[in-house]
Amino acid sequence: MDFVGKRKLWYFLSILVIIPGIIAMATHRPPLNLGIDFTGGNLLQVKFEQPVETSQVREALKEFNLEQASIQTAGPNEFLLRTPVLTEEESTRMLDSLKEKFGNLDIKRNERVGAVIGAELTRKGLYALALATVLMVIYIGFRFEFLFGIAAVVALLHDVLVTVGLFALFRWEVNSAFVAAILTIIGYSINDTIVIFDRIRENLRLRKKESLEELVNKSIAQSLTRCINTVTTVVMALLALLILGGDTTKFFALTLLIGTVSGTYSSIFTASPLWIDLRNLTQGRRRTARAKVRRATSP
């Protein structure tokens, strides 16, 4: 397969997915549908006298548009509910409704809490991400080549934009698990990319008369089976988690699923062709600079 020759098509497909997400983030306020981990809310701990399932509690909360609230089991028939900010009246109405549906309940806690992920933590997280990106470029530049590092980081950015963009487009809730999933995606994607870059580096040492495009195509083809086998097993596990894991892990599994597929796509179709484009661009500028020097020094 001519991965490199059709790179404009792969770039176009990536832009086709990323641009609507960027437009959605630019037009929505806030850009993402932030959950209470970011915005704060109410924390309620209730214990029912009769057996009650998590799904029943979530169904009961639909009446108050709180079906996306975090519901954790805290013991037998005991639940920890984390909802958006509720007034005292809204909180009382919700608890009365639960009591009406499931019988007597003991309210162990009902308090307003701040955001788990505040502005300062978000800012520090972005600083850490920027530092990690710089270190990755330095390491990949040292072990491989500087342009490999740039191509790898652009591929990572591609995966993050695809995932965040889809969440902005469909207004899926973003919570603390989303942040963990994004970091996992970055780790997964760079791993796949490095495998292909390593094969390119090995083939460069053995290169004879073949062009760089042919060499990269051959390197990707040699790594393709490994990449497909890996992503297939991961996707199967994530699909099982998405379908059977329940509402609590649904968006976590969905984030990982989108990011994993995007990471494999970018590793195969974007990173290596982008490295060739960056290399051609750099060499073209060098040739132009040398030609200018020759013209300036010629009699």
Side-chain angles (χ1 to χ4, degrees):
M1 188 173 179
D2 187 6
F3 299 99
V4 178
K6 294 179 180 176
R7 60 185 182 275
K8 289 183 179 176
L9 173 63
W10 315 135
Y11 296 162
F12 174 74
L13 290 176
S14 295
I15 290 172
L16 201 62
V17 176
I18 290 172
I19 292 296
I22 292 176
I23 292 173
M25 285 189 279
T27 53
H28 285 112
R29 289 291 176 273
L32 295 170
N33 179 20
L34 299 176
I36 62 170
D37 289 344
F38 289 89
T39 61
N42 279 56
L43 184 65
L44 299 94
Q45 187 170 356
V46 294
K47 182 176 175 61
F48 297 95
E49 290 185 356
Q50 65 181 45
V52 178
E53 298 294 331
T54 304
S55 57
Q56 292 176 292
V57 177
R58 190 174 297 284
E59 187 66 27
L61 293 182
K62 278 186 180 178
E63 181 184 341
F64 304 94
N65 295 321
L66 297 173
E67 63 271 20
Q68 298 299 332
S70 170
I71 304 175
Q72 290 178 297
T73 305
N77 305 319
E78 188 172 338
F79 299 92
L80 205 59
L81 313 178
R82 196 176 178 90
T83 71
V85 176
L86 300 174
T87 63
E88 191 172 340
E89 183 184 351
E90 289 171 333
S91 175
T92 303
R93 281 177 50 222
M94 186 190 73
L95 290 168
D96 288 344
S97 174
L98 290 175
K99 191 181 295 183
E100 185 180 332
K101 286 183 170 65
F102 306 119
N104 286 335
L105 57 86
D106 179 22
I107 303 171
K108 296 193 168 185
R109 193 193 315 184
N110 184 3
E111 57 193 34
R112 187 170 293 185
V113 297
V116 172
I117 302 178
E120 186 179 354
L121 187 57
T122 304
R123 189 169 56 252
K124 287 182 178 177
L126 291 174
Y127 289 158
L129 197 58
L131 178 63
T133 302
V134 171
L135 291 175
M136 274 194 284
V137 171
I138 293 173
Y139 177 74
I140 296 172
F142 175 72
R143 293 287 299 170
F144 294 86
E145 181 184 300
F146 177 69
L147 293 180
F148 273 130
I150 298 297
V153 169
V154 172
L156 289 181
L157 186 63
H158 165 280
D159 303 333
V160 172
L161 285 177
V162 166
T163 309
V164 175
L166 288 177
F167 267 72
L169 195 61
F170 294 103
R171 306 306 292 169
W172 291 325
E173 185 178 301
V174 171
N175 54 24
S176 57
F178 177 83
V179 178
I182 289 292
L183 295 175
T184 307
I185 289 166
I186 291 173
Y188 179 87
S189 179
I190 195 70
N191 182 52
D192 252 7
T193 305
I194 289 296
V195 168
I196 295 176
F197 282 173
D198 192 46
R199 183 53 59 96
I200 292 174
R201 184 178 61 171
E202 287 178 6
N203 287 334
L204 278 172
R205 292 172 185 160
L206 306 173
R207 183 182 179 187
K208 294 179 180 175
K209 294 182 179 178
E210 59 191 350
S211 68
L212 194 61
E213 285 77 7
E214 290 171 336
L215 183 142
V216 171
N217 274 334
K218 185 174 77 175
S219 302
I220 296 174
Q222 289 171 344
S223 310
L224 195 61
T225 304
R226 182 255 184 211
C227 291
I228 291 176
N229 286 341
T230 305
V231 73
T232 301
T233 53
V234 174
V235 164
M236 288 169 68
L238 291 174
L239 280 176
L241 186 62
L242 182 64
I243 295 169
L244 304 173
D247 291 329
T248 307
T249 58
K250 183 174 70 176
F251 287 117
F252 177 70
L254 182 63
T255 309
L256 283 179
L257 185 62
I258 294 170
T260 301
V261 174
S262 174
T264 304
Y265 174 86
S266 66
S267 297
I268 296 172
F269 297 102
T270 305
S272 303
L274 185 62
W275 171 70
I276 288 186
D277 282 335
L278 290 172
R279 189 182 173 105
N280 290 340
L281 182 66
T282 306
Q283 291 180 343
R285 286 182 176 176
R286 285 176 184 166
R287 282 195 294 271
T288 304
R290 283 198 292 268
K292 285 182 179 177
V293 172
R294 279 197 298 272
R295 283 197 297 272
T297 56
S298 61

